[in-house]
């Protein structure tokens, strides 16, 4: 009976295994029949084993097998999908590994260039700092000179301001005392070849001062003579 109902039923196994299943079905049927006789002998209650119950047993086996086979098929499909994903991941990892090697090479080159640029920038920064320090020294020195000049200028201006009244008084006196007649009297001396500052210095310092003063007064008179009309 089992051979008849299971011969056309697909079971994922070899023919030998399938035949063993058929034989096992018959064996179970015989065991159940024996147990029914033992049950009657022990309890004096009869239990019948009918062809319908045997067919129900075979149908239950087929239903359970179908359910378990579907469950195993689902697990198998999930496993195949997982394996496919793992294979894809392996391919991606291999590709990424190759790209990583290339990137590491590029990174090493870029790192070397960066180190070279950093070294060059550091050297230039040090050179610039050195130049900056030198410029600062020159600037400080120049500032010191400017400060000294400012002090000297202020002192000179103070002296000039203090001497201004005397200078103005002397200038007024010279305008009043120097006349054309005085300049005419000086002209013979002024026209002499040896009447100059260098020759006067050889004679005497006072003479040199007198020589310089008379020449300046004559020159001042000539300029003042031209300027006075313009002032009016």
């Amino acid at each position: 009976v089992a051979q008849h109902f299971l011969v056309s039923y697909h079971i994922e196994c070899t023919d030998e295994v399938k035949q063993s299943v058929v034989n096992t079905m018959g064996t179970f049927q015989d065991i159940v029949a024996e147990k029914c006789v033992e049950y009657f002998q022990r309890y004096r209650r009869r239990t019948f084993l009918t062809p319908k119950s045997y067919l129900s047993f075979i149908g239950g086996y087929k239903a359970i097998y179908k359910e378990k086979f579907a469950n195993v098929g689902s697990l198998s499909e999930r496993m195949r999908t997982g394996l496919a994903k793992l294979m894809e991941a392996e391919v991606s990892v291999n590709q990424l590994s190759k790209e990583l090697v290339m990137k590491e090479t590029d990174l090493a080159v870029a790192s070397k260039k960066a180190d070279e640029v950093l070294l060059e920038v550091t050297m230039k920064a040090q050179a610039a700092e050195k130049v900056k320090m030198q410029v600062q020294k020159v600037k400080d020195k120049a500032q010191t000179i400017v400060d000294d000049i400012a002090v000297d200028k202020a002192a000179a201006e103070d002296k000039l301001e203090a001497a201004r009244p005397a200078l103005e008084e002397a200038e007024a006196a010279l305008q009043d005392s120097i006349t054309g007649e005085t300049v005419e009297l000086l002209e013979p001396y002024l026209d002499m070849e040896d009447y100059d500052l260098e020759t006067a210095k050889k004679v005497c310092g006072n003479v040199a001062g007198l020589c310089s003063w008379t020449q300046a007064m004559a020159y001042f008179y000539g300029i003042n003579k031209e300027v006075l009309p313009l002032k009016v």
Side-chain angles (χ1 to χ4, degrees):
V1 177
Q3 178 73 24
H4 175 76
F5 284 99
L6 294 177
V7 67
S8 60
Y9 186 75
H10 176 72
I11 299 178
E12 194 68 29
C13 62
T14 62
D15 293 336
E16 294 180 356
V17 173
K18 188 174 184 180
Q19 187 60 44
S20 297
V21 172
V22 172
N23 296 335
T24 301
M25 291 288 185
T27 301
F28 280 136
Q29 181 69 6
D30 293 339
I31 293 173
V32 171
E34 293 175 359
K35 294 301 180 181
C36 287
V37 174
E38 292 178 0
Y39 183 79
F40 175 74
Q41 292 175 352
R42 178 174 297 183
Y43 299 103
R44 308 306 296 175
R45 296 181 62 182
R46 190 175 297 280
T47 301
F48 297 98
L49 180 64
T50 63
K52 183 177 180 181
S53 62
Y54 183 53
L55 293 177
S56 176
F57 171 66
I58 295 174
Y61 168 79
K62 291 168 67 175
I64 293 174
Y65 178 83
K66 182 178 180 181
E67 179 184 353
K68 297 299 181 181
F69 184 81
N71 186 31
V72 171
S74 176
L75 294 175
S76 176
E77 182 62 27
R78 291 172 61 183
M79 182 177 292
R80 280 195 296 269
T81 302
L83 290 175
K85 295 295 184 181
L86 287 175
M87 293 178 65
E88 292 178 1
E90 182 180 5
V91 173
S92 299
V93 168
N94 292 333
Q95 182 64 29
L96 291 174
S97 298
K98 294 178 182 179
E99 294 179 358
L100 179 60
V101 172
M102 297 176 62
K103 294 295 184 182
E104 288 178 348
T105 303
D106 296 339
L107 181 61
V109 174
S111 179
K112 183 178 180 181
K113 290 183 178 179
D115 292 339
E116 293 175 354
V117 171
L118 179 60
L119 178 60
E120 183 179 357
V121 170
T122 302
M123 293 177 63
K124 289 184 177 180
Q126 292 176 350
E129 185 65 24
K130 185 177 181 180
V131 172
K132 180 181 178 181
M133 292 176 63
Q134 293 176 350
V135 171
Q136 187 63 39
K137 289 181 180 179
V138 173
K139 180 181 178 182
D140 294 341
K141 186 176 181 180
Q143 186 63 42
T144 301
I145 295 174
V146 170
D147 294 340
D148 293 340
I149 291 175
V151 172
D152 294 340
K153 180 181 178 182
E157 289 178 350
D158 292 340
K159 292 180 180 180
L160 179 61
E161 190 64 28
R164 186 178 300 279
L167 180 61
E168 292 176 352
E169 183 179 353
E171 181 181 355
L174 288 174
Q175 287 176 359
D176 295 337
S177 61
I178 298 176
T179 62
E181 182 180 358
T182 303
V183 174
E184 289 179 358
L185 294 173
L186 288 173
E187 285 182 355
Y189 300 98
L190 297 174
D191 293 338
M192 294 176 64
E193 295 181 358
D194 57 352
Y195 192 78
D196 55 49
L197 184 60
E198 295 299 327
T199 303
K201 284 182 179 180
K202 295 178 182 180
V203 176
C204 178
N206 293 332
V207 175
L210 180 62
C211 176
S212 176
W213 182 81
T214 54
Q215 289 178 338
M217 292 304 100
Y219 179 75
F220 175 78
Y221 176 79
I223 297 298
N224 195 44
K225 184 179 179 180
E226 295 177 358
V227 172
L228 284 176
L230 298 176
K231 292 183 178 179
V232 178

